[in-house]
Amino acid sequence: MEGYNRDPAGPAALLRNDGLTERRCFIPGSDSILIWSCPSVSRLRLTVAVPGSTIRSVTVLVVGATGATGRLLVRQLLHRGLTVKVVVRSPDKLPGDVRSHSNLSVIQASVLDLSDAEMAHHVNGCDAAASCLGHNLNLKGIYGPPRMLVTGATRRLCHAIKANKPDKPVRFVLMNTAGNSNRDITEKVSFGQRCVMALIRLLVPPQLDNERAADYLRVKIGQNDGAIEWAAVRPDSLIDESEVTQYEVYSSPIRSALFNAGKTSRINVANFMADLITDDDKWGKWRGQMPVIYNKASS
Ligand SMILES: NC(=O)c1ccc[n+]([C@@H]2O[C@H](COP(=O)([O-])OP(=O)(O)OC[C@H]3O[C@@H](n4cnc5c(N)ncnc54)[C@H](OP(=O)(O)O)[C@@H]3O)[C@@H](O)[C@H]2O)c1
């Protein structure tokens, strides 16, 4: 949090180091400053700060930040001028531009090894938390401990948020999968898909982990929690692309994740998750839901 007072050093002292997305200057003939940023090509955000006012930057804690999607999410949040904390096992895996960013703080730990007190300390003051955790796709990652990585981290983060008794609800954005159903609403799943999913649930533990993580938010946090509001983002088959492209978001899958899977690029998932954190209208539309995201060409 920064207090703004007219200072001989001028507003340059308040300029963020990422400079790309947020700039500030004195309004000629006044002591107020104008802050402007461009969160996306089509949006311009303007803020006027008068002397004595408080300029508060949004802080987000990200877990799974070294993953293929997590690192893209962190980069997009930093580019939007947010302050980002990451809990990572191997900071070296973060891309150089992200690792060296002045608005990033790195907590080196395996997320489930943090004590409750450490977890509460790290989420304290955060406006949002996001999880892009996933099991590493090797034998150890899929069948070894922790079998309930995503569920465990979701539960522990939520406990930590609640323990801090935040003034206003913290946004929790979970990366989930189109292979999971939102059981709060009626989603049509064919008999064939239900049978195969039951088998996958038995044979591939990460599926059950993803389902339980979303169930925790749906059932234990629910729709009226004073400390946490949540959204579980469901991409279909993940692909890698270098640029954000057009994508579509639905409240339920519009195709079978098993027999007619669509494509979703990780960078689009990151873009949508960042939007949920920074865009109040999008958050109002999707909070408490499990939006399904497809690249436009695949829907
Ligand atoms: N593959 C698909 O087509 C698909 C489709 C829809 C949804 N999803 C879901 O999307 C999510 C993320 O996908 P992704 O490809 O971006 O994931 P990813 O690249 O595999 O990244 C996984 C992240 O989880 C961390 N992690 C793994 N095991 C951990 C452990 N034991 N303790 C702490 N951290 C751990 C990794 O940290 P390290 O870097 O330290 O290993 C990494 O940051 C997953 O939940 C997946 O189920 C996948």
Side-chain angles (χ1 to χ4, degrees), residues 21-269:
T21 52
E22 186 175 286
R23 297 189 183 277
R24 301 166 187 198
C25 68
F26 283 118
I27 297 172
S30 85
D31 276 348
S32 302
I33 59 172
L34 178 69
I35 305 167
W36 73 95
S37 62
C38 238
S40 68
V41 198
S42 57
R43 279 185 299 150
L44 177 68
R45 189 176 291 154
L46 294 175
T47 310
V48 174
V50 296
S53 68
T54 299
I55 305 165
R56 188 180 182 286
S57 75
V58 172
T59 302
V60 186
L61 181 97
V62 180
V63 294
T66 49
T69 313
R71 61 182 70 180
L72 301 173
L73 172 64
V74 173
R75 183 180 283 133
Q76 294 202 29
L77 294 171
L78 290 169
H79 280 185
R80 292 174 193 214
L82 276 64
T83 300
V84 182
K85 294 182 184 180
V86 295
V87 180
V88 294
R89 301 189 288 189
S90 317
D92 292 351
K93 285 193 186 175
L94 292 167
D97 62 312
V98 166
R99 205 169 53 228
S100 62
H101 201 289
S102 59
N103 281 1
L104 182 84
S105 17
V106 177
I107 298 139
Q108 186 169 5
S110 184
V111 64
L112 293 183
D113 290 347
L114 292 172
S115 70
D116 288 347
E118 286 170 327
M119 193 78 109
H121 171 73
H122 295 314
V123 296
N124 195 22
C126 288
D127 303 275
S131 167
C132 293
L133 284 170
H135 295 253
N136 290 339
L137 294 180
N138 52 39
L139 270 183
K140 190 165 166 257
I142 294 175
Y143 294 104
R147 286 258 179 132
M148 292 296 135
L149 167 70
V150 186
T151 310
T154 301
R155 186 188 308 116
R156 300 227 20 238
L157 281 165
C158 288
H159 282 179
I161 291 167
K162 281 169 174 284
N164 288 329
K165 298 188 172 49
D167 299 339
K168 64 181 182 72
V170 171
R171 295 180 185 180
F172 189 98
V173 184
L174 173 71
M175 181 171 176
N176 205 241
T177 166
N180 187 18
S181 296
N182 180 355
R183 290 168 193 83
D184 277 347
I185 52 180
T186 314
E187 294 195 337
K188 236 170 80 187
V189 181
S190 70
F191 178 69
Q193 177 156 335
R194 280 208 303 276
C195 294
V196 179
M197 285 315 288
L199 257 184
I200 294 178
R201 210 171 280 132
L202 273 179
L203 301 176
V204 190
Q207 170 66 23
L208 189 59
D209 187 18
N210 275 330
E211 291 183 5
R212 287 196 177 158
D215 283 351
Y216 178 81
L217 294 174
R218 263 190 333 99
V219 178
K220 298 287 184 199
I221 304 300
Q223 303 289 338
N224 296 306
D225 192 278
I228 299 165
E229 292 178 346
W230 59 273
V233 173
R234 292 184 285 172
D236 211 334
S237 290
L238 290 171
I239 55 168
D240 289 317
E241 284 183 342
S242 53
E243 301 289 337
V244 174
T245 56
Q246 287 192 311
Y247 57 84
E248 288 172 344
V249 183
Y250 298 88
S251 49
S252 294
I254 57 161
R255 51 200 301 160
S256 161
L258 276 184
F259 305 126
N260 177 29
K263 289 185 174 35
T264 314
S265 60
R266 288 182 169 90
I267 199 163
N268 285 348
V269 177

